[in-house]
Amino acid sequence: MFRSLILTGSLLVVASGLIRAQTVSVVSGAMVEQGSATLPPAPVVLTYAEEMPVFPGGDEAFYRYLKAKIQCPAEAEHLNLSGTVYVRFVVDEEGRIRDAQVVKGCGHGLDEEALRLVRLMPWWTPGREQGKPVRVQRTMPISFRLR
């Protein structure tokens, strides 16, 4: 019995500042180009900027926001769990929160609650590099403590 290998994927080719996307299929070792399109260059995301992004009102306002909006998940409350969830996100050039994801979580609903809090945050003051707004990646710890 003969089985042929069929793989489908996308290739990104970077040349002279533009990214070219190609969709290709590999059938039994032969590569066949199905289509191509030219994409604009991907935005650069920094991990550090001359001026880092800031929550509107600063750190104190951020902690007030968390205190006002946090809801302890029923499962975590029932099990009397506490812990810290680390959420990574990007603050774009306009201050919007993008690509939020849990880097290190605790489970039992705490991860989902931390993501909910980050996604509901108001727009930040964007980071700046040489006076221009830039995308900056941040990782924030969100602590859950039962009293």
Side-chain angles (χ1 to χ4, degrees):
M1 178 179 213
F2 178 73
R3 292 185 186 177
S4 62
L5 175 65
I6 300 175
L7 299 174
T8 303
S10 296
L11 297 176
L12 290 178
V13 180
V14 179
S16 68
L18 292 176
I19 297 177
R20 183 173 161 87
Q22 293 182 320
T23 304
V24 295
S25 293
V26 179
V27 180
S28 299
M31 189 180 303
V32 180
E33 183 174 329
Q34 293 176 336
S36 64
T38 302
L39 302 174
V44 175
V45 177
L46 305 175
T47 54
Y48 180 80
E50 291 172 356
E51 292 178 43
M52 293 296 285
V54 179
F55 186 85
D59 289 342
E60 286 185 33
F62 176 70
Y63 294 119
R64 282 194 309 270
Y65 164 80
L66 288 180
K67 189 174 182 180
K69 299 285 184 183
I70 200 163
Q71 299 171 358
C72 190
E75 183 181 359
E77 193 171 359
H78 175 72
L79 296 172
N80 199 27
L81 294 176
S82 60
T84 302
V85 177
Y86 293 88
V87 180
R88 178 182 302 144
F89 57 92
V90 173
V91 179
D92 73 7
E93 299 89 348
E94 295 175 343
R96 290 181 292 208
I97 304 300
R98 302 211 177 253
D99 306 329
Q101 62 183 359
V102 173
V103 178
K104 183 179 178 189
C106 300
H108 304 287
L110 297 176
D111 301 353
E112 292 80 7
E113 177 61 11
L115 276 176
R116 185 188 74 83
L117 290 168
V118 168
R119 290 179 177 146
L120 288 177
M121 283 192 286
W123 288 19
W124 287 40
T125 302
R128 294 187 173 274
E129 191 73 29
Q130 297 178 354
K132 296 179 183 171
V134 292
R135 291 180 180 228
V136 182
Q137 178 178 285
R138 297 290 311 261
T139 301
M140 304 274 316
I142 299 177
S143 295
F144 294 88
R145 303 273 182 254
L146 293 177
R147 295 178 191 213

